[in-house]
Amino acid sequence: MKKIVIFASGTGSNAEKIILHFKKSSLANVVGIFSNNSRAKVLQMAENHAVYAVVFSKEELNDGVVLEKINAIQPDLIVLAGFLWKFPESIIHQYPDKVINIHPALLPKYGGKGMYGMHVHQAVLNNKEEETGITIHYVNENYDEGAFIFQKAVPVTGCTTPEQIAEKVHQLEHEFFPAVIASLLKP
Ligand code: GAR
């Protein structure tokens, strides 16, 4: 059974979809939720599903404390699902091609520092884009610049608020992210 670790700091709706998907699978299991936000809803969600959870500070992420905890698990895949801090090179180097991120837009558009969550959807709305989407990609040293694994577009012409766009993007994420993770873990 392969091991998935998820980094998340928001509501954790993607993390929950991934947990539920793999509860029904013999391929892999979510064995840890790591969050930098002690008040994040994702922690309550982890408790509800009896998944081991870790809360950490920026110092612990960058000084090796988090890496030690990950090494104790030896995950097959590290999934960033709504994790907004820069991910440390030390972890990326120890887990080459095993750290992936989901971004709520069609990269390379609407990526980079400061482009996360509602900021992305507001920018898409401001620019009157006809479509947006999701990008699942490997994580490297730069925000949102690793090799693409999967992209899917959705039309947003009828949307008048960033919340409406966010809902469409979340639907895509929930539909495709667990399956893309499974395809990466399949032998
Ligand atoms: C997701 O839409 C994800 O794509 C985005 O945060 C949201 C987390 O939602 N990530 C980024 O913006 C990363 N740059 P969730 O907590 O409901 O899964």
Side-chain angles (χ1 to χ4, degrees), residues 43-86:
L43 293 170
Q44 185 58 52
M45 188 279 293
E47 196 179 323
N48 294 346
H49 291 287
V51 176
Y52 165 70
V54 176
V55 178
F56 59 87
S57 65
K58 196 164 259 180
E59 292 70 39
E60 288 172 324
L61 180 64
N62 293 314
D63 69 8
V65 169
V66 171
L67 177 60
E68 259 175 47
K69 291 195 159 97
I70 292 175
N71 283 343
I73 297 172
Q74 292 286 311
D76 298 281
L77 198 66
I78 298 172
V79 175
L80 312 190
F83 184 67
L84 307 181
W85 288 351
K86 197 164 187 309

Side-chain angles (χ1 to χ4, degrees), residues 6-15 18 42 79-84 100-102 177:
I6 300 176
F7 279 71
S9 47
T11 60
S13 72
N14 277 290
I18 298 164
V42 68
V79 175
L80 312 190
F83 184 67
L84 307 181
I100 67 168
N101 177 49
I102 191 161
F177 202 14

Side-chain angles (χ1 to χ4, degrees), residues 3 37 66 70 84 121 184:
K3 289 177 274 188
N37 180 359
V66 171
I70 292 175
L84 307 181
H121 308 311
L184 291 173

Side-chain angles (χ1 to χ4, degrees), residues 122-168:
Q122 185 67 59
V124 166
L125 188 67
N126 292 349
N127 290 341
K128 301 186 172 50
E129 294 283 0
E130 290 185 353
E131 62 173 22
T132 186
I134 60 171
T135 304
I136 298 168
H137 63 94
Y138 288 105
V139 173
N140 69 12
E141 299 77 13
N142 302 315
Y143 275 109
D144 304 327
E145 284 185 14
F148 294 172
I149 299 164
F150 177 87
Q151 286 193 303
K152 188 83 186 173
V154 63
V156 288
T157 38
C159 294
T160 52
T161 66
E163 288 77 15
Q164 288 170 347
I165 297 177
E167 195 182 325
K168 286 192 163 210

